Amino acid sequence: MKIKWRKILLKIHLYGGLLCFWYLLIFGISALYFQHHFRFMENKNIPALVSTKKQLRIDPANTDSVVATNIQNSLDVAGWYLPWETYRDSAGNFHTMIANPQWDYSIVYNFQNSISTISAKQKSFWNLLIALHGFAGKMPNAPLLFIWNIYTYVCIAVVLLSIFSGIWLWSGRKRQRLTGWLIFSGIIFLSFSLMIFIYKHG
Amino acid sequence: MVKMFSLVRKLHLYTAFTIAAFLLMYFVTGSVIIMGETFSRKSIRETSEKQFIGNESEFAIVARLCKQFQIRGEERKKIEEKQTVYSYLRPGYRAEIIFPANEDSVVINLSQGSFGKLMNDFHRLRGFNGLAHIVWGVLYDLSCIALFLFGLSGLYLWWKIEKNKLAGGFFFLTSTAITVFTIWYLITVC
């Protein structure tokens, strides 16, 4: 039985493209933002929204990074603690900050009464969307983000495959296919030439 | 209707070419960034040198040092309270000429990045400073716009090509579900 490669490839191209539809849109929006920093996407100066107090048992003898991680895990806050915002003040309070695409948490922990004060500042929705650009999905206390991580790799593979299969599918005629490959090779050559030029001259 | 289909098909093809010029490079460099544990972004060579300066002007010293150390790249000048710093940046390379205030010397720092750093810098290259950067910036923007058109035209073509939309609909809904779920998860869990 003769395998209909063209038909199979068209299906992969079609379904793969549909699977990556939203990823490509988010990728386009975020990439444009990285170049132009549109004002409407920036975080507004929203004041600290929530301030709560919680009692925690944290060992002060540990290093700052361990203390910050223990506080974060005890509070079950998703995000990354910021080492440059982590310190102990003269009164003995421990300060740290945990950031994630949606919130910035400022945490002050008092070792004497074991009370932590958490102030949360919300970021804009755009910030969240932009954070999905190439998001590796390894955020502490947010285990299900691995789905987006897998999705990212799938989209990379599909887009690369789509470029090559798209040219192949472009036309059934060999001559046009050759033209497609030549145009594609030319574009890749120009793209890499530009990279080399910038690498050499800045 | 056939004309419209043909037009969208061409749009899909040409936007793909625009994307191909840039996106391939972005996906390659982006993959290196994601695999940060394998490809370190540290510098592989760093040198620092101090030179005494005479009565030359700042401009003349910078020009002389750029020539002497073959410093090239996008220039940025930063005047601080205790020093004036000239930075020269290009992917995988960074040079600094530092003029400490009230001192008759200048410090030259040169840093050559690893492969991971080079890929990272190319991936994050932005701005319109200089001809090569303008070309880069325009191509970058075109690729972003092409991504929208590529996605939308692809959706249109699928809608027109397939009579039975069950399989395609499944993949489109899967894409929507993953995206909505991730956004919802980030909003609620964070």
Side-chain angles (χ1 to χ4, degrees), chain A residues 62-79:
Chain A
N62 287 316
T63 60
D64 284 0
S65 67
V66 174
V67 171
T69 310
N70 287 344
I71 290 173
Q72 180 182 2
N73 291 337
S74 303
L75 293 169
D76 197 24
V77 172

Side-chain angles (χ1 to χ4, degrees), chain A residues 163-184:
Chain A
I163 291 170
F164 294 107
S165 61
I167 295 167
W168 197 83
L169 288 166
W170 182 23
S171 171
R173 282 187 289 179
K174 276 185 181 172
R175 201 177 155 189
Q176 277 195 358
R177 201 179 296 155
L178 182 70
T179 314
W181 281 114
L182 284 174
I183 294 172
F184 178 69

Side-chain angles (χ1 to χ4, degrees), chain A residues 85-125:
Chain A
E85 298 283 353
T86 302
Y87 60 95
R88 295 173 200 234
D89 65 22
S90 53
N93 295 321
F94 184 84
H95 297 253
T96 190
M97 188 176 249
I98 295 160
N100 64 47
Q102 183 70 0
W103 296 88
D104 276 339
Y105 295 100
S106 289
I107 301 167
V108 181
Y109 182 72
N110 188 320
F111 287 115
Q112 270 142 20
N113 58 18
S114 304
I115 286 178
S116 61
T117 309
I118 310 124
S119 304
K121 200 172 178 181
Q122 196 171 15
K123 296 175 189 170
S124 72
F125 177 75

Side-chain angles (χ1 to χ4, degrees), chain A:
Chain A
M1 199 178 81
K2 198 182 171 189
I3 303 167
K4 292 175 181 171
W5 284 111
R6 191 176 167 78
K7 206 173 174 185
I8 293 169
L9 208 60
L10 180 66
K11 292 279 179 201
I12 294 172
H13 185 89
L14 214 58
Y15 299 149
L18 287 167
L19 190 65
C20 298
F21 178 78
W22 291 108
Y23 190 88
L24 292 181
L25 247 59
I26 290 172
F27 203 83
I29 294 168
S30 52
L32 266 179
Y33 170 79
F34 292 141
Q35 172 114 305
H36 297 282
H37 293 280
F38 303 114
R39 201 172 283 176
F40 72 93
M41 286 184 172
E42 298 281 355
N43 288 315
K44 307 279 185 302
N45 281 327
I46 307 166
L49 205 71
V50 195
S51 190
T52 49
K53 286 181 191 291
K54 274 189 182 172
Q55 194 142 27
L56 305 170
R57 295 235 167 267
I58 303 291
D59 183 7
N62 287 316
T63 60
D64 284 0
S65 67
V66 174
V67 171
T69 310
N70 287 344
I71 290 173
Q72 180 182 2
N73 291 337
S74 303
L75 293 169
D76 197 24
V77 172
W80 300 272
Y81 98 90
L82 309 181
W84 58 92
E85 298 283 353
T86 302
Y87 60 95
R88 295 173 200 234
D89 65 22
S90 53
N93 295 321
F94 184 84
H95 297 253
T96 190
M97 188 176 249
I98 295 160
N100 64 47
Q102 183 70 0
W103 296 88
D104 276 339
Y105 295 100
S106 289
I107 301 167
V108 181
Y109 182 72
N110 188 320
F111 287 115
Q112 270 142 20
N113 58 18
S114 304
I115 286 178
S116 61
T117 309
I118 310 124
S119 304
K121 200 172 178 181
Q122 196 171 15
K123 296 175 189 170
S124 72
F125 177 75
W126 289 109
N127 194 85
L128 193 144
L129 212 62
I130 288 157
L132 293 176
H133 181 114
F135 196 59
K138 287 175 187 167
M139 193 164 77
N141 296 334
L144 289 182
L145 281 179
F146 80 92
I147 295 169
W148 188 262
N149 192 22
I150 295 169
Y151 186 50
T152 298
Y153 280 108
V154 169
C155 289
I156 290 172
V158 167
V159 170
L160 292 177
L161 186 76
S162 294
I163 291 170
F164 294 107
S165 61
I167 295 167
W168 197 83
L169 288 166
W170 182 23
S171 171
R173 282 187 289 179
K174 276 185 181 172
R175 201 177 155 189
Q176 277 195 358
R177 201 179 296 155
L178 182 70
T179 314
W181 281 114
L182 284 174
I183 294 172
F184 178 69
S185 308
I187 286 169
I188 296 297
F189 175 75
L190 285 175
S191 176
F192 278 91
S193 301
L194 185 62
M195 278 176 82
I196 292 166
F197 182 83
I198 290 175
Y199 174 67
K200 290 272 180 198
H201 302 278

Side-chain angles (χ1 to χ4, degrees), chain B residues 58-99:
Chain B
E58 197 175 284
F59 180 76
I61 294 164
V62 168
R64 178 171 59 77
L65 291 173
C66 282
K67 202 173 175 184
Q68 184 185 342
F69 291 96
Q70 294 180 317
I71 296 170
R72 293 185 303 274
E74 188 190 348
E75 188 188 80
R76 287 179 198 167
K77 186 182 176 183
K78 200 174 173 187
I79 301 167
E80 294 167 353
E81 200 179 319
K82 292 179 180 172
Q83 59 188 17
T84 303
V85 182
Y86 287 83
S87 302
Y88 296 85
L89 305 161
R90 61 174 208 263
Y93 174 88
R94 185 187 173 92
E96 279 179 339
I97 300 174
I98 304 168
F99 290 86

